[in-house]
Amino acid sequence: MTAIEPDDQEEKPLDPAMESVRRKMVRLQIVSGAIMFVSLMAVFGAVVYKVMHSEPKETASAVTASGVPSDAPLAATVSLPLGFKVQSTSFSAGQLLFYGETVEGKNKALVYDLKTGRTVADVTVTGN
């Protein structure tokens, strides 16, 4: 086998230009490691905050997205104008639309909101 000389195992000092480059690389490695650590702690903090401040789960008597209780039917009374003839109805996002004709013969659309329990829009429909 070949014998390794002890002089070859020791590192020789770097020239000043290479030593400057090595120092810059070590400094860059320390700065990027610190940035990664701070970023990781920010993500970890956000996850802990989100878990600690999450909304409680809805129970069986909770209100659905439309504002209607899920465990009991909603009872409401809508006051339409006298003589209003309902031609069609529609329901969307907790609101009822009544489309019909008034006593004067005008076409109207009335929007009733179940959450607030009142008429939120009274639209007169005219044709060209």
Side-chain angles (χ1 to χ4, degrees), residues 50-78:
K50 188 71 170 175
V51 168
M52 298 300 284
H53 292 88
S54 65
E55 294 180 12
K57 303 243 188 239
E58 293 186 12
T59 61
S61 64
V63 176
T64 62
S66 65
V68 178
S70 61
D71 61 343
L74 179 69
T77 302
V78 180

Side-chain angles (χ1 to χ4, degrees), residues 77-116:
T77 302
V78 180
S79 297
L80 298 175
L82 292 174
F84 186 79
K85 295 178 186 173
V86 177
Q87 296 173 347
S88 67
T89 60
S90 178
F91 178 78
S92 176
Q95 294 182 339
L96 283 167
L97 169 71
F98 297 98
Y99 182 77
E101 189 176 312
T102 62
V103 175
E104 296 87 26
K106 295 180 183 177
N107 290 329
K108 281 199 171 223
L110 302 169
V111 180
Y112 179 80
D113 191 348
L114 294 175
K115 290 179 187 177
T116 60

